[in-house]
Amino acid sequence: MNTGEQQSLILRRAPFGKGAVEGGQGIGLTNEAALLRALSNSGLPIPEIIYACTPDDGLGPAYFMSCLKGETIARRILRDEPYVHVHNTLTQQCGAALAALHASQSPDNIRLSASFAHDQLRQYEGILRQIGTERP
């Protein structure tokens, strides 16, 4: 896609180029990019995946995506004047996006797994204890 026009892109990459957090249940950035590509025709408000990095790129698991305009900081959306106009429609839009996501089929090449909250809490408690921090 080289149209000669400048385009804002976002690089999605694990911290310091590392893969998924050890012991984490994430699907990984390679699968994440593939999943977003598979959902591109679902009507969901998702970015276009421009390029999924390969090992030869030297960035580790990563991908470049288009930049969607909008705000992600909840306090701004809820409090700041420029976003007052969305207060009556945001809940409906979020619900519609979640419904579309749940109606979508997982691609065969991406392995997604279910987990239970209790198991997740136990797992992350173990990770927290390994880190040695005193924060909850």
Side-chain angles (χ1 to χ4, degrees), residues 4 13-14 25 54 62 73 97 105-106 114 119:
R13 177 179 177 213
Q25 293 294 313
T54 66
I73 300 174
Q105 295 294 316
S106 174
D119 296 335

Side-chain angles (χ1 to χ4, degrees), residues 35 38-44 97-107 112:
L35 185 59
L39 293 171
S40 65
N41 293 324
S42 66
L44 288 165
L98 284 172
L101 179 61
H102 285 277
S104 301
Q105 295 294 316
S106 174
L112 301 175

Side-chain angles (χ1 to χ4, degrees), residues 20-96:
V21 174
E22 189 174 328
Q25 293 294 313
I27 65 172
L29 293 175
T30 302
N31 277 337
E32 185 176 298
L35 185 59
L36 287 171
R37 274 193 174 135
L39 293 171
S40 65
N41 293 324
S42 66
L44 288 165
I46 56 175
E48 176 187 359
I49 301 303
I50 305 299
Y51 179 74
C53 295
T54 66
D56 292 338
D57 295 320
L59 291 174
Y63 60 90
F64 290 88
M65 62 183 154
S66 62
C67 182
L68 297 180
K69 293 187 182 234
E71 180 58 68
T72 60
I73 300 174
R75 114 181 104 68
R76 287 185 185 164
I77 295 169
L78 296 172
R79 296 181 188 163
D80 291 359
E81 182 64 32
Y83 305 104
V84 169
H85 69 282
V86 301
H87 291 174
N88 293 329
T89 58
L90 186 58
T91 304
Q92 182 180 358
Q93 291 171 342
C94 289

Side-chain angles (χ1 to χ4, degrees), residues 117-127:
H118 182 67
D119 296 335
Q120 290 287 303
L121 288 172
R122 185 174 28 245
Q123 175 190 0
Y124 288 112
E125 181 180 13
I127 292 170

